[in-house]
Amino acid sequence: MSTELLDEFVQAIPMPALMVDQTERIIAANTDAKTLLGQNIVGRHFATILRQPQVLEAIEQSLQTKSTKKTRHLSNDGAQDTTFEVDCRYMNGVGAVSGGAVLASFQDITHLEHASQMRRDFVANVSHELRTPLTALMGFIETLRGPARDDPGARERFLQIMTDEANRMNRLVGDLLSLNRVESEERVRPIEQLELTGLLQSILNSVRPLAEDAGVALVLEAQDGPVSVTGDSDQLRQVFTNLVENGIKYGGSGGNVTVSVLSMERDTALRGPSVRVQVIDKGPGIDPIHLPRLTERFYRADSHRSRQLGGTGLGLAIVKHIVNRHRGRLRVESELGKGSVFTVILPR
Ligand code: ADP
């Protein structure tokens, strides 16, 4: 194959690619490979360009054994790490000397690596979250079988703790299933036409017993007349229930949780007509350093308080996915000591 033809050939490969022949020099490289490894790489010995031992070894072995080798190449452009899968394939009859050459192509697999890291973190988090109540349950079963067997007072107390821990596991499994369902439907746009003020009123009615137990008053501020949006009523119920419950849980006794509804003709966030629903509490607020990560699964601003209140750490992740499905926005503003405002902006 002529040099021109080789250049045309590597140029047509839709990822960084280069060829190394039996003289161990790079005989061709496409624009993507030059961007990745340097502009003047053609003609150089491959070991002066590709310095990572596993890549050198793969190319050497492919040249020697005339077979396919795969390895990883890691690069960092100063801003971010990129992981490539390097595929070294031997081609007969190519190159300056008789024999052949290795075609090394670099496929960017950073997103796959990232997804698999996220999956591992998620499994580790779920196992940890389930194991904590499970360990408590197993401990109390042992105690009830042994030292507390004939102590009716202790038995009642322990059974109550066991019930709380079992409920915690149940809530966690429920939230995990919800998250799964919401994620799998995220690309399907909701089509139901619903009236938001009535939905919010009905949510406040159902969480009122919880609010009363916590000594919190619930207030709905809405304009007169119906406010209609296109949405999934079950999912929007879940969004506002989670936000109001958080306001009650974290807002603290003696306070108010206010839900306000405002229709806008031209919303700056959505560049069109919208409804903004705000859930406002005057509780301890959230330190600004936590705000960017608040909607990540299992992320808690105050872990101790969340666990004490039976939180799963999944509520806001569910909220975010549902709002995304509605092509809406979630905004969180909070100041320590002053409270929090969660704003859901939905297109109308
Ligand atoms: P959780 O089940 O822990 O409540 P969420 O996903 O609903 O999980 O919330 C994530 C974290 O955000 C909570 O653990 C809590 O630290 C913080 N948070 C949520 N809502 C509020 C609020 N209204 N006031 C203060 N902190 C809040």
Side-chain angles (χ1 to χ4, degrees):
M1 212 187 266
S2 70
T3 314
E4 289 76 23
L5 209 54
L6 268 188
D7 284 342
E8 287 293 324
F9 171 71
V10 289
Q11 198 57 43
I13 298 171
M15 64 185 83
L18 53 82
M19 292 187 87
V20 178
D21 74 359
Q22 290 290 1
T23 65
E24 301 195 339
R25 289 186 184 277
I26 298 174
I27 55 167
N30 65 8
T31 311
D32 289 344
K34 289 176 185 169
T35 307
L36 179 67
L37 301 164
Q39 289 304 316
N40 302 313
I41 58 176
V42 176
R44 305 269 301 271
H45 192 283
F46 76 92
T48 61
I49 304 298
L50 294 155
R51 294 174 175 277
Q52 295 177 22
Q54 71 283 4
V55 181
L56 299 180
E57 199 179 312
I59 295 179
E60 263 161 24
Q61 284 192 0
S62 183
L63 274 173
Q64 275 165 19
T65 60
K66 303 187 176 180
S67 61
T68 299
K69 297 285 168 209
K70 276 183 199 268
T71 189
R72 297 270 161 110
H73 174 88
L74 308 173
S75 87
N76 182 297
D77 63 2
Q80 62 180 37
D81 291 327
T82 310
T83 308
F84 292 94
E85 185 172 76
V86 187
D87 193 293
C88 303
R89 298 207 171 210
Y90 197 80
M91 292 174 72
N92 280 309
V94 186
V97 292
S98 64
V102 169
L103 170 68
S105 53
F106 294 67
Q107 189 187 1
D108 185 346
I109 54 161
T110 314
H111 58 292
L112 292 176
E113 289 281 287
H114 184 63
S116 84
Q117 183 60 42
M118 275 177 56
R119 189 184 52 77
R120 285 195 293 274
D121 289 350
F122 182 65
V123 170
N125 272 325
V126 171
S127 314
H128 173 75
E129 297 285 338
L130 282 171
R131 180 165 276 174
T132 311
L134 193 60
T135 307
L137 281 174
M138 287 162 75
F140 284 114
I141 291 170
E142 277 301 297
T143 317
L144 285 173
R145 282 201 165 132
R149 192 167 38 200
D150 302 317
D151 180 345
R155 196 166 56 219
E156 268 320 298
R157 230 175 31 253
F158 293 161
L159 281 172
Q160 185 53 50
I161 300 173
M162 289 169 75
T163 308
D164 292 345
E165 295 297 336
N167 282 336
R168 178 194 294 275
M169 289 178 83
N170 198 26
R171 269 198 308 278
L172 180 62
V173 173
D175 277 357
L176 284 169
L177 290 172
S178 268
L179 194 59
N180 204 30
R181 214 171 23 246
V182 170
E183 277 186 327
S184 64
E185 285 174 356
E186 201 165 331
R187 291 181 194 285
V188 189
R189 272 192 103 145
I191 47 166
E192 189 187 336
Q193 203 60 30
L194 57 97
E195 203 283 303
L196 208 53
T197 315
L199 180 76
L200 291 168
Q201 188 62 64
S202 134
I203 292 168
L204 293 189
N205 289 342
S206 56
V207 297
R208 190 151 281 123
L210 185 78
E212 279 167 6
D213 284 350
V216 172
L218 301 176
V219 181
L220 177 63
E221 287 175 355
Q223 65 204 50
D224 288 337
V227 177
S228 82
V229 291
T230 309
D232 178 319
S233 56
D234 287 342
Q235 287 193 342
L236 289 180
R237 175 175 287 276
Q238 201 169 3
V239 164
F240 297 115
T241 304
N242 282 354
L243 294 179
V244 174
E245 281 185 356
N246 277 354
I248 297 170
K249 271 194 308 190
Y250 299 106
S253 93
N256 282 354
V257 171
T258 306
V259 179
S260 85
V261 190
L262 182 66
S263 288
M264 310 215 9
E265 277 319 311
R266 193 174 156 73
D267 198 298
T268 44
L270 299 182
R271 297 204 185 91
S274 75
V275 184
R276 289 188 171 217
V277 182
Q278 296 195 308
V279 180
I280 306 159
D281 71 72
K282 302 284 175 217
I286 305 161
D287 192 319
I289 59 162
H290 297 298
L291 294 183
R293 299 193 56 193
L294 214 58
T295 56
E296 284 177 22
R297 299 156 181 189
F298 299 117
Y299 190 87
R300 293 166 166 108
D302 182 344
S303 276
H304 177 70
R305 190 139 173 74
S306 162
R307 284 174 211 282
Q308 196 183 32
L309 296 167
T312 61
L314 293 174
L316 291 180
I318 295 174
V319 166
K320 194 190 90 181
H321 281 289
I322 296 178
V323 173
N324 283 350
R325 182 186 171 209
H326 285 74
R327 310 287 192 270
R329 302 275 187 285
L330 173 69
R331 299 252 166 94
V332 188
E333 292 150 288
S334 190
E335 208 178 321
L336 277 177
K338 298 220 167 136
S340 311
V341 181
F342 287 79
T343 307
V344 174
I345 309 172
L346 295 170
R348 242 180 333 125

